[in-house]
Amino acid sequence: MFSLARTALRPSLAKRAARAFAAPSTTALLHTLPDLPYAYNALEPFISEEIMTLHHKKHHQTYVNGLNAAEESYANSPSVKEQIALQAALKFNGGGHINHSLFWKNLAPASGDGGKLTDGPLKVAIERDFGSVDEFKKVFNAKTAAVQGSGWGWLGYNSATKNLEIVTTPNQDPLLSHTPIIGVDIWEHAFYLQYKNVKPDYLNAIWNVINFKEAEKRLVDVQ
């Protein structure tokens, strides 16, 4: 289960994740914390080194540990009833691992690819579906800031309509209805130490370190 989170996430994520939730493996395999593709301080001043260190080393590691423990318990469960009882832990920790593995690649230093949306398929699709890049960011920020409690904001590709759509998911639920193109963590651990409870400031700042090149690659791969 969740073998997809051990390698680079691909646009078929939704389909594979759905299969993983539906049919967990009876053999528990160790998931590991992926390395960041940049230094902990590389996203400053938009995301602080302290936040990145805690977010990656503590929070993501906790989801990895929880997923491994849940899969081991599932593999050793003597009854279907006990396996069913583990579904919530598998979903929460597995979703946390999937979401964060994608999130780290979703970001890049502002001195590199971060914040730079150049002419190409992603920009064309955003302008087609939202009118302009600025309007897209405005709507994305508003919907993501409106998440009650904890969750994620997503730019997802709807394979049925062939359009980009903004979706939110609660807690650590992975995005299964769309192929994730951009995901933003709106849990407080992602921003509170720097932005306190002002979600709009965090959401405005994060666009400076969004890796649009990675997002465009996901879109091209799924189309």
Side-chain angles (χ1 to χ4, degrees), residues 29-34 56-73 89-90 92-94 96-97:
L29 299 174
L30 280 180
H31 302 271
T32 58
L33 183 70
H56 181 248
K57 286 187 174 181
K58 300 296 184 181
H59 292 281
H60 191 171
Q61 184 67 66
T62 297
Y63 300 126
V64 171
N65 295 344
L67 177 57
N68 286 330
E71 285 193 335
E72 181 178 3
S73 295
L90 289 167
F92 180 78
N93 292 291
H97 184 33

Side-chain angles (χ1 to χ4, degrees), residues 153-223:
W154 303 96
L155 176 66
Y157 179 76
N158 187 325
S159 59
T161 64
K162 310 299 183 184
N163 290 330
L164 293 175
E165 298 173 354
I166 296 169
V167 190
T168 61
T169 55
N171 303 313
Q172 290 297 349
D173 290 9
L175 183 62
L176 302 180
S177 60
H178 298 63
T179 297
I181 305 301
I182 294 173
V184 173
D185 190 346
I186 199 65
W187 280 64
E188 283 193 344
H189 63 234
F191 63 88
Y192 192 85
L193 289 176
Q194 186 171 0
Y195 295 98
K196 307 309 178 190
N197 65 338
V198 189
K199 290 181 181 179
D201 287 355
Y202 162 66
L203 291 168
N204 286 330
I206 202 168
W207 293 110
N208 293 284
V209 289
I210 289 293
N211 189 342
F212 287 106
K213 182 180 290 186
E214 172 68 18
E216 183 167 84
K217 184 191 305 180
R218 294 176 192 158
L219 177 62
V220 170
D221 285 348
V222 77
Q223 286 180 325

Side-chain angles (χ1 to χ4, degrees), residues 21-205:
F21 281 125
S25 169
T26 56
T27 303
L29 299 174
L30 280 180
H31 302 271
T32 58
L33 183 70
D35 293 333
L36 293 183
Y38 37 75
Y40 286 115
N41 65 354
L43 304 184
E44 290 190 337
F46 306 105
I47 303 180
S48 71
E49 179 178 2
E50 182 181 19
I51 286 177
M52 289 299 299
T53 303
L54 290 172
H55 199 172
H56 181 248
K57 286 187 174 181
K58 300 296 184 181
H59 292 281
H60 191 171
Q61 184 67 66
T62 297
Y63 300 126
V64 171
N65 295 344
L67 177 57
N68 286 330
E71 285 193 335
E72 181 178 3
S73 295
Y74 187 97
N76 295 324
S77 294
S79 69
V80 173
K81 181 179 180 179
E82 291 187 17
Q83 291 177 335
I84 291 173
L86 288 165
Q87 292 301 309
L90 289 167
K91 182 179 181 180
F92 180 78
N93 292 291
H97 184 33
I98 289 172
N99 292 346
H100 284 86
S101 296
L102 183 150
F103 184 58
W104 307 133
K105 293 181 178 180
N106 212 114
L107 304 173
S111 59
D113 292 326
K116 299 175 179 63
L117 178 56
T118 57
D119 291 339
L122 179 59
K123 187 175 181 181
V124 168
I126 287 175
E127 292 177 340
R128 179 197 66 208
D129 295 332
F130 299 98
S132 70
V133 175
D134 287 342
E135 182 64 17
F136 155 66
K137 292 179 180 179
K138 178 182 176 181
V139 175
F140 184 100
N141 286 5
K143 289 188 176 181
T144 303
V147 171
Q148 295 184 353
S150 302
W152 290 75
W154 303 96
L155 176 66
Y157 179 76
N158 187 325
S159 59
T161 64
K162 310 299 183 184
N163 290 330
L164 293 175
E165 298 173 354
I166 296 169
V167 190
T168 61
T169 55
N171 303 313
Q172 290 297 349
D173 290 9
L175 183 62
L176 302 180
S177 60
H178 298 63
T179 297
I181 305 301
I182 294 173
V184 173
D185 190 346
I186 199 65
W187 280 64
E188 283 193 344
H189 63 234
F191 63 88
Y192 192 85
L193 289 176
Q194 186 171 0
Y195 295 98
K196 307 309 178 190
N197 65 338
V198 189
K199 290 181 181 179
D201 287 355
Y202 162 66
L203 291 168
N204 286 330

